Amino acid sequence: SIEVLVYSDDENDHSIHMHAGEYQVVEVGPYGGPVASNRTTVKYQRSGPAPMRCDEIAIRSHSYTKLRFRVNHGAIIFFHCHMIHNFKGLAVTFIAAPDLLQKHMKVPDEVTRMCKLQNIKTSGNAAGNAGFDLTGLPQPLLVNRELNISRDGYNTWDSICVNNAVPIPPVHVTQGDVLVLNVRNSLDVPTAVHAHGIYHNYTDYYDGAEMVTECGIPPGENFTYVIDTTTQAGDLWIHGHVHSQLTDGFRTPFIIHEKVKPTTYDKDEVLYFEDWNERTFEDM
């Protein structure tokens, strides 16, 4: 088990997300309490005998949270703030069991090709290389930017779309399905797609964290993500993981339905709330 003590010594809250797994919230400091670095004056507040499990939690301003997670296989774990502070460097990567990664993870040629197209080195990492059959795939999902989109009937602004759709339609699968996302990047900058909440088991190269688990998809190129849902069910989401693309509309719910319903109900609806800015993230 690994414990991470996260402090916030500034005026901002930070939403900390862990890729490819969940952590337990072991301790939470008081909100608005003493400066976190002066930890001897902070009274611990236990979250209970069975700590909450999640993959994202807010670290309050001038407070701290202790997180614990277990690593039982090789993994590349991106641990970062899910707000703009990620772009400013509030991120760290855990390489778990690199010897097991070298033994069990074989990176598809298509992944390394994306790097070579951008003159990014692919040696020196924890993975090997192997071929991967990408034949018989569905038509590409076109990631593009539409201008002068109206979301409220009055104002217009730019938005990142998929197949010209705004908002991007939710993705529904049944547990055990293999989701294949064939993505074509029609933006003028690289992109990457992250299935937020998916546990990758030696397929971290499909995690979508640009310059962490992959090099991103260059403009005009195709790349295919293969996501196995055998071990999971629930309400997740899919979003762009390059700079501000999430903020500019590249996001949608990702629902993995259980094969057997745990309870009876009349209807299951997804209510999707989002903030929308009148300007793009770059303009702000």
Side-chain angles (χ1 to χ4, degrees), residues 221-268:
E221 290 293 331
N222 287 33
F223 182 76
T224 299
Y225 295 87
V226 181
I227 300 170
D228 189 352
T229 67
T230 301
T231 62
Q232 293 182 250
D235 300 341
L236 311 178
W237 58 312
I238 292 174
H239 63 80
H241 212 289
V242 175
H243 206 248
S244 60
Q245 293 173 6
L246 159 64
T247 308
D248 291 342
F250 195 177
R251 56 185 183 255
T252 192
F254 175 30
I255 314 300
I256 306 174
H257 298 275
E258 293 176 302
K259 287 187 175 180
V260 179
K261 295 181 180 179
T263 185
T264 58
Y265 49 86
D266 295 326
K267 193 174 183 180
D268 186 11

Side-chain angles (χ1 to χ4, degrees), residues 19-261:
H19 285 222
E22 291 180 326
Y23 47 67
Q24 291 179 307
V25 182
V26 181
E27 298 174 1
V28 178
Y31 182 63
V35 175
S37 58
N38 188 14
R39 188 172 172 228
T40 57
T41 66
V42 176
K43 183 179 179 180
Y44 282 5
Q45 296 181 348
R46 292 284 178 178
S47 58
M52 178 179 67
R53 295 177 62 87
C54 59
D55 65 18
E56 189 164 343
I57 192 172
I59 310 298
R60 298 300 187 181
S61 171
H62 296 303
S63 188
Y64 74 93
T65 297
K66 180 186 283 189
L67 310 173
R68 177 193 298 147
F69 61 93
R70 182 185 299 274
V71 176
N72 53 15
H73 63 82
I76 303 171
I77 302 170
F78 192 36
F79 189 81
H80 68 96
C81 179
H82 215 284
M83 302 161 69
I84 62 172
H85 314 108
N86 175 33
F87 312 138
K88 298 180 179 180
L90 186 49
V92 65
T93 303
F94 297 100
I95 306 296
D99 54 334
L100 294 179
L101 283 175
Q102 291 179 334
K103 181 179 180 180
H104 296 291
M105 180 188 288
K106 299 299 180 183
V107 178
D109 290 341
E110 186 68 3
V111 175
T112 57
R113 188 178 76 87
M114 295 295 106
C115 299
K116 293 175 181 178
L117 288 172
Q118 301 171 81
N119 296 318
I120 299 173
K121 294 182 178 180
T122 59
S123 61
N125 54 24
N129 295 288
F132 191 68
D133 185 6
L134 297 175
T135 60
L137 296 177
Q139 292 298 310
L141 299 173
L142 182 65
V143 179
N144 61 302
R145 183 177 291 276
E146 289 291 315
L147 306 180
N148 299 322
I149 295 294
S150 177
R151 296 295 292 269
D152 58 7
Y154 298 96
N155 300 295
T156 59
W157 47 86
D158 298 351
S159 174
I160 295 179
C161 312
V162 171
N163 293 343
N164 299 316
V166 180
I168 301 170
V171 176
H172 291 266
V173 300
T174 300
Q175 186 176 8
D177 289 345
V178 176
L179 176 64
V180 177
L181 297 175
N182 188 8
V183 181
R184 179 169 180 78
N185 181 13
S186 290
L187 303 173
D188 56 4
V189 294
T191 191
V193 179
H194 173 50
H196 188 121
I198 283 291
Y199 309 154
H200 292 277
N201 187 8
Y202 296 114
T203 58
D204 303 77
Y205 40 78
Y206 292 138
D207 189 44
E210 188 216 20
M211 301 311 297
V212 177
T213 58
E214 65 169 88
C215 296
I217 309 170
E221 290 293 331
N222 287 33
F223 182 76
T224 299
Y225 295 87
V226 181
I227 300 170
D228 189 352
T229 67
T230 301
T231 62
Q232 293 182 250
D235 300 341
L236 311 178
W237 58 312
I238 292 174
H239 63 80
H241 212 289
V242 175
H243 206 248
S244 60
Q245 293 173 6
L246 159 64
T247 308
D248 291 342
F250 195 177
R251 56 185 183 255
T252 192
F254 175 30
I255 314 300
I256 306 174
H257 298 275
E258 293 176 302
K259 287 187 175 180
V260 179
K261 295 181 180 179

